[in-house]
Each structure stands twice: as structure tokens, then as C-alpha cells.
């Protein structure tokens, strides 16, 4: 309603009332509402929530109630939690570490991230968030075992992949960790070649003397986060130290675009059914055509007000081809940052590289083989609203946090294998982020041949199964 009737004061008043009632103070920051609590009971409740949900490390920010429930348990010897992607699992970790540093605690923290691409993002967020505290409290943020500051007398915040942390633990066996946060902990239950690295780290740290570090496992959407505690506790113990939340502070609208029936339907999460919206006649409509329709009025708006769009493809060739087609006919944007990035891509990658041309139009692709420095700058310009369309492969599932308004999904595979339920929900969670917006649109586009609408619907209906540690799944009885 806020989107449909931006000038309607009644709508913005009700929006304020609803968001206040559910404790979504961060959502209220995104809207201009005249709402004020009407009676004493409402005022008392709002005042209590304001105080109770205030983030200790940053008094201007407020937790959601489920975030607060998680935050209050992070000092436990071990704790495992799961929540939807949009709930802000990483924010809880950042605020806990910042509070400990501000209190003067002399501890070593580690944040385990699943990919090298995420190291840079988390490192930057950590340094920006702590700012002068790092120097004042003698902390150093380290991303590799070879970092020279490890030789100096600091306390550390490690931001590493499991492989990098394992190398550090082997090369410096005397290194003492006090807290380890394992982000995307569902990797421990995935059928993947990296799970053993996670196991080995947990195993080595669980045997640390005189006492093991605090273990915090964070995962998206899974129903049984207590499964990870089996690695650090006796079997059967620890369920009281796990919390699974389904709270999402943003709304998502899920559209099914079917080339089989030439129709657009909207999927209703509550009834688990789809509602007919309209038919379309053109047999040759592609994801690029739908993106153009959804963004046709954006060119009239200032850059910062334009909608930001992500498109997911199962392979890099398809992503690049779609990016080039989307950029066709679009004018260059007069922006110094885009011009400079285009020049650096030309110098560092190749003068004739496609990306050099399309980046000036505010279009990019995000794929594994791009140099990390280039990929990071693309992400930064997307967050700033200067790049408004990004074409991605499975790097998008790995937790890159981008503030998108629209997400176009063209496949339910990651490469060739089908995505797991966790991966699929994780992908959908990339759109609609409370830091930036109150809702997001997801468009599932099926061609009727390799990608069927029914497969998308089945995945949307199917609850995520209880996870089993991959060491249990993979070992045969003998």
C-alpha cells in the first residue's frame, strides 16, 4: 500500500502502527509516518520495546525481538540458531563483537565465511563498524594466516574461510580463540567437498585447552539448528542451546512467469496456492524483456531512486549473454565512479572485455572468475545505486549481501545439479533487505523445456527437511 499510495497519510499512519506493534523499528526508519501511540498502554509498550530492543553497542539502532532473543544467548559456551536470510544474522554477530570490544574484553574472535568473495565484504564491514575502536582497544582484523600483524601483540578478529583458518591453526597451534562464529553453518550438512574443513576446524578447537572457545553456529532457514551442537557436546545434549526463527522483517511477492501457459501468477505463501494475474501473448519473451518491462519508467528517475535488479542464471555464459542483451540500446550514465571502474577493467582484465562497455550503462555481471577487487567494486556501486542491474551465477547464493528490489530467477540449478532446499531459500532471500527496503519481488521464469513452472512451485511448497551432518550422510556402514 505504501508503494501504491505514497501520498496517502492514512496508509503511512497504519504502516507506522503495524510496524510499531511488531517491534520492527528498523522498518519504521524506512518510512515517513505520522503515527504516534494513542493511549497509555501503547505508549508504555512502545517505550519498553524502545529500551529493551536498543542495541548495546549502537544505541541509535534497535533489534527485532527474535534478534534480541538470539543476542542474549551468545555468551553461552555453545549456541546454534537459524533464521531467514533477511533477518540479519550477521548483524547480531557484528554487534556482539563490537560490544565486547567496547567493554575492553581482551579476546580473539573468528568469523568463518563460506567464500573468499565474502571475506572482503565482512572485513570491510568489521573495520567500518569498529572504526577507531580497533586502534584504541588494540584489535587487528586479519584475513590470512600470513598476515604480519599476527606476530604482534594484538587481540584479533579473524575473517576467514574454513580452509584459511585450518591453515592458521596448523601453522600456529598455540593460537587461542575465544569465540568462533560459523556463518552459513548449513555447509556442515551439505553434500560438498568443503564440509571436512569445517569438521576439522571444529574438532581442533573443541580440543583446545584449558577450555574450548564459544561456538556459535548460524544458518539460514533450517528447522533443526541443534544438529550442529552434536559436534561440540555429548550426543543428545544441547537442544536447549538452539533457536530456530521464521521471523522475516520484509515482505516478498513471488511471481510465477510461465512460458508453458503464457501466464503470470502470484504465489501465496499462506495458502500455498497461486493466483492468476494475467496472460501475455509474445512467444519470445525472455528474462531481459521482463526486466525491461519492470524497469521501463526508471530511466525518468534520478539514479538513486531507480529499482535495483538481480538476475540469477545457472551458468556464466547465460548470465553474460543476458547482461549484454539488457545493456543494448541503453545510454551511458554520466558518473565518475562508473567511468573509472570501466577504465580499470580495461586496464586490469582486457581492453575489449564486454564488461568495460556495459558497466558505463549501470549494468554488470557477477561471476566467479572476475578479479576480487573488481567484483568488490561492482558490489559497492550496486549498493550505492549506480549499478542497477546485476546478472549473477551461484556466487549470489553464497551470502553476498546486495540490496535488491527485484530478483529474476531463471533456473533451480546451481551449475548442473539442482539446488538443495536451503540453497533455494537462500537465493530467494537475496531480495528485500530491511536495511534498504520493506519488500522485494521475486520472479520465477520457466521456459517450459529445461525449466518447468511445477518445479519452482514444488520447491516453494516443500518445507526444508531436517538437516543431517554430512559425515553421517556420507559414511557407509562398513
Amino acid at each position: 500500500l505504501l508503494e501504491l499510495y505514497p501520498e496517502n497519510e492514512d496508509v503511512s499512519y497504519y504502516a507506522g502502527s503495524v510496524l510499531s506493534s511488531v517491534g520492527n523499528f528498523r522498518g519504521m526508519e524506512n518510512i515517513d509516518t505520522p503515527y504516534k501511540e494513542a493511549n497509555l498502554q501503547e505508549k508504555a509498550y512502545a517505550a519498553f520495546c524502545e529500551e529493551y530492543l536498543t542495541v548495546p553497542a549502537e544505541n541509535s539502532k534497535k533489534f527485532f525481538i527474535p534478534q534480541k532473543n538470539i543476542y542474549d544467548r551468545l555468551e553461552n559456551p555453545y549456541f546454534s540458531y537459524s533464521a531467514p536470510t533477511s533477518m540479519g544474522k550477521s548483524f547480531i554477530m557484528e554487534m556482539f563483537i563490537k560490544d565486547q570490544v567496547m567493554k575492553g574484553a581482551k579476546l580473539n574472535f573468528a568469523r568463518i565465511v563460506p567464500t573468499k568473495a565474502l571475506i572482503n565484504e565482512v572485513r570491510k564491514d568489521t573495520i567500518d563498524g569498529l572504526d577507531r575502536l580497533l586502534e584504541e582497544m588494540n584489535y587487528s582484523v586479519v584475513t590470512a594466516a600470513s598476515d604480519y600483524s599476527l606476530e604482534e601483540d594484538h587481540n584479533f578478529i579473524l575473517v576467514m574461510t574454513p580452509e584459511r583458518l585450518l591453515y592458521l591453526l596448523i601453522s600456529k597451534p598455540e593460537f587461542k580463540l575465544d569465540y568462533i562464529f560459523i556463518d552459513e553453518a548449513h555447509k556442515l550438512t551439505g553434500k560438498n567437498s568443503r564440509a571436512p574443513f569445517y569438521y576439522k576446524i571444529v574438532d581442533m578447537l573443541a580440543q583446545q585447552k584449558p577450555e574450548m572457545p564459544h561456538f556459535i553456529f548460524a544458518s539460514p532457514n533450517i528447522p533443526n539448528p541443534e544438529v550442529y551442537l552434536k559436534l561440540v557436546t555429548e550426543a543428545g545434549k544441547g537442544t536447549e542451546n538452539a533457536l530456530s526463527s521464521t521471523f522475516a522483517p520484509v515482505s516478498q511477492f513471488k511471481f510465477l512467469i510461465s512460458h508453458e501457459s503464457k501466464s503470470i501468477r502470484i504465489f501465496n505463501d499462506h495458502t500455498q496456492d497461486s493466483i492468476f494475474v494475467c496472460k501475455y501473448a509474445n512467444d519470445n519473451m525472455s528474462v531481459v524483456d521482463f526486466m525491461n518491462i519492470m524497469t521501463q519508467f526508471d530511466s525518468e528517475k534520478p539514479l538513486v531512486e531507480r529499482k535495483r535488479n538481480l538476475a540469477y542464471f545457472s551458468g556464466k555464459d547465460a548470465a553474460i549473454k543476458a547482461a549484454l542483451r539488457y545493456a543494448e540500446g541503453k545510454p551511458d550514465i554520466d558518473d565518475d565512479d562508473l567511468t573509472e571502474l570501466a577504465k580499470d577493467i580495461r586496464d586490469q582484465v582486457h581492453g575489449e572485455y564486454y564488461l568495460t562497455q556495459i558497466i558505463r550503462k549501470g549494468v554488470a555481471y557477477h561471476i566467479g572468475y572476475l578479479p576480487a577487487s573488481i567484483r568488490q567494486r561492482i558490489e559497492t556501486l550496486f549498493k550505492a545505486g549506480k549499478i542497477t542491474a546485476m546478472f549473477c551465477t551461484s556466487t549470489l547464493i553464497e551470502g553476498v549481501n546486495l540490496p535488491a528490489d527485484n530478483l529474476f530467477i531463471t533456473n533451480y540449478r546451481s551449475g548442473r545439479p539442482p539446488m538443495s532446499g536451503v540453497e533455494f531459500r537462500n537465493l530467494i532471500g537475496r531480495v528485500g533487505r530491511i536495511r534498504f527496503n520493506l519488500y522485494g519481488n521475486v520472479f520465477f521464469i520457466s521456459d517450459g523445456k529445461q525449466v518447468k513452472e511445477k518445479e519452482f512451485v514444488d520447491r516453494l511448497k516443500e518445507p526444508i527437511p531436517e538437516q543431517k551432518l554430512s559425515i553421517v550422510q556420507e559414511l557407509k556402514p562398513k
Side-chain angles (χ1 to χ4, degrees):
L1 289 172
L2 282 167
E3 191 77 8
L4 292 169
Y5 307 107
E7 307 301 322
N8 188 317
E9 279 202 2
D10 287 350
V11 169
S12 56
Y13 182 89
Y14 273 95
S17 172
V18 170
L19 292 170
S20 172
S21 298
V22 297
N24 192 341
F25 293 103
R26 296 188 66 191
M28 286 181 77
E29 292 167 11
N30 292 348
I31 63 169
D32 182 19
T33 176
Y35 171 74
K36 290 282 180 287
E37 293 77 20
N39 57 45
L40 184 62
Q41 188 178 356
E42 283 184 0
K43 284 177 181 170
Y45 175 71
F48 165 74
C49 282
E50 280 270 354
E51 185 175 340
Y52 176 69
L53 299 175
T54 294
V55 177
E58 291 191 23
N59 291 342
S60 62
K61 293 183 177 173
K62 304 284 179 282
F63 283 129
F64 307 123
I65 291 170
Q67 282 182 327
K68 171 73 171 162
N69 293 341
I70 291 166
Y71 182 87
D72 286 345
R73 298 171 72 177
L74 293 187
E75 289 194 48
N76 291 6
Y78 39 82
F79 182 61
S80 180
Y81 64 96
S82 83
T85 308
S86 59
M87 196 261 252
K89 298 185 298 299
S90 298
F91 174 74
I92 302 170
M93 298 176 195
E94 288 164 18
M95 291 301 104
F96 180 80
I97 293 172
K98 185 170 183 176
D99 187 48
Q100 295 291 319
V101 173
M102 287 172 75
K103 286 176 178 172
K106 299 298 180 189
L107 303 170
N108 291 328
F109 302 91
R111 281 190 63 183
I112 302 306
V113 296
T115 63
K116 282 193 294 187
L118 265 173
I119 288 177
N120 293 326
E121 182 184 338
V122 174
R123 177 181 181 274
K124 183 178 182 303
D125 288 348
T126 303
I127 291 171
D128 291 350
L130 291 169
D131 200 19
R132 291 195 310 273
L133 281 171
L134 286 170
E135 193 175 341
E136 289 170 13
M137 300 299 184
N138 196 29
Y139 271 83
S140 182
V141 181
V142 171
T143 58
S146 56
D147 195 309
Y148 72 91
S149 65
L150 282 165
E151 308 301 329
E152 298 174 5
D153 187 21
H154 295 288
N155 282 103
F156 298 99
I157 300 167
L158 311 180
V159 180
M160 295 183 174
T161 55
E163 292 87 345
R164 289 190 185 193
L165 182 60
L166 181 59
Y167 182 68
L168 171 63
L169 294 175
I170 291 168
S171 59
K172 299 185 188 301
E174 73 291 347
F175 188 84
K176 182 85 173 70
L177 265 179
D178 299 285
Y179 275 89
I180 177 163
F181 294 87
I182 300 180
D183 207 355
E184 306 285 317
H186 63 283
K187 301 289 180 190
L188 281 157
T189 44
K191 293 195 173 186
N192 62 75
S193 59
R194 299 182 70 206
F197 289 100
Y198 285 87
Y199 283 117
K200 187 64 183 166
I201 288 164
V202 172
D203 189 46
M204 288 174 79
L205 291 172
Q207 295 175 40
Q208 227 181 38
K209 298 290 185 279
E211 57 186 42
M212 67 181 187
H214 296 251
F215 282 93
I216 314 294
F217 299 92
S219 41
N221 300 308
I222 68 163
N224 60 326
E226 66 277 2
V227 68
Y228 307 119
L229 297 176
K230 291 179 179 177
L231 296 168
V232 293
T233 62
E234 294 171 40
K237 284 190 180 177
T239 49
E240 69 282 0
N241 282 313
L243 193 153
S244 178
S245 172
T246 55
F247 173 80
V250 292
S251 298
Q252 280 191 340
F253 300 101
K254 301 179 176 78
F255 295 91
L256 298 158
I257 299 177
S258 168
H259 279 21
E260 296 161 82
S261 58
K262 300 286 181 295
S263 70
I264 299 175
R265 307 179 73 83
I266 189 164
F267 183 79
N268 184 327
D269 281 310
H270 301 285
T271 62
Q272 295 281 286
D273 208 349
S274 60
I275 304 154
F276 177 77
V277 178
C278 66
K279 285 271 190 185
Y280 62 92
N282 189 340
D283 277 0
N284 301 313
M285 290 283 278
S286 70
V287 60
V288 170
D289 297 317
F290 286 112
M291 287 178 74
N292 281 325
I293 289 169
M294 285 301 296
T295 57
Q296 61 184 308
F297 301 113
D298 274 8
S299 57
E300 300 158 20
K301 298 176 185 171
L303 205 54
V304 290
E305 290 178 21
R306 295 180 191 178
K307 299 290 187 195
R308 280 168 281 192
N309 304 277
L310 290 172
Y312 171 78
F313 295 82
S314 61
K316 65 178 186 296
D317 291 344
I320 293 171
K321 197 184 296 182
L324 295 176
R325 198 177 149 214
Y326 182 76
E328 270 173 27
K330 290 188 169 50
D332 284 0
I333 295 167
D334 182 18
D335 181 84
D336 292 344
D337 289 333
L338 291 174
T339 304
E340 189 182 341
L341 179 55
K343 177 183 177 299
D344 290 345
I345 292 169
R346 189 173 62 240
D347 294 344
Q348 291 180 36
V349 185
H350 193 282
E352 300 300 312
Y353 199 46
Y354 309 125
L355 202 50
T356 310
Q357 278 79 47
I358 66 174
I359 212 95
R360 290 195 186 94
K361 303 172 189 291
V363 182
Y365 43 83
H366 189 285
I367 51 182
Y369 67 67
L370 282 174
S373 59
I374 298 291
R375 211 163 50 206
Q376 196 176 350
R377 285 169 67 188
I378 289 172
E379 290 165 18
T380 301
L381 291 180
F382 187 86
K383 288 175 184 175
K386 295 184 176 186
I387 290 173
T388 55
M390 184 107 82
F391 294 76
C392 306
T393 54
S394 57
T395 51
L396 185 60
I397 308 172
E398 299 289 4
V400 175
N401 295 310
L402 299 170
D405 299 285
N406 300 312
L407 171 62
F408 297 83
I409 297 178
T410 65
N411 216 308
Y412 34 77
R413 293 185 178 85
S414 176
R416 288 187 178 177
M419 286 181 213
S420 67
V422 178
E423 286 175 329
F424 187 69
R425 295 294 168 85
N426 218 359
L427 174 60
I428 296 170
R430 298 291 142 204
V431 70
R433 316 289 285 186
I434 194 61
R435 267 198 291 177
F436 310 102
N437 40 28
L438 284 167
Y439 79 96
N441 299 311
V442 190
F443 300 88
F444 300 95
I445 300 174
S446 51
D447 61 10
K449 297 168 189 162
Q450 292 172 314
V451 181
K452 302 275 200 299
E453 181 186 12
K454 182 180 180 301
E455 292 282 351
F456 279 132
V457 173
D458 288 349
R459 280 167 168 73
L460 288 169
K461 287 182 177 180
E462 186 182 354
I464 292 175
E466 290 211 342
Q467 303 292 291
K468 292 179 182 171
L469 293 170
S470 50
I471 203 160
V472 177
Q473 295 181 78
E474 297 298 311
L475 288 178
K476 303 291 184 283
K478 64 182 178 185

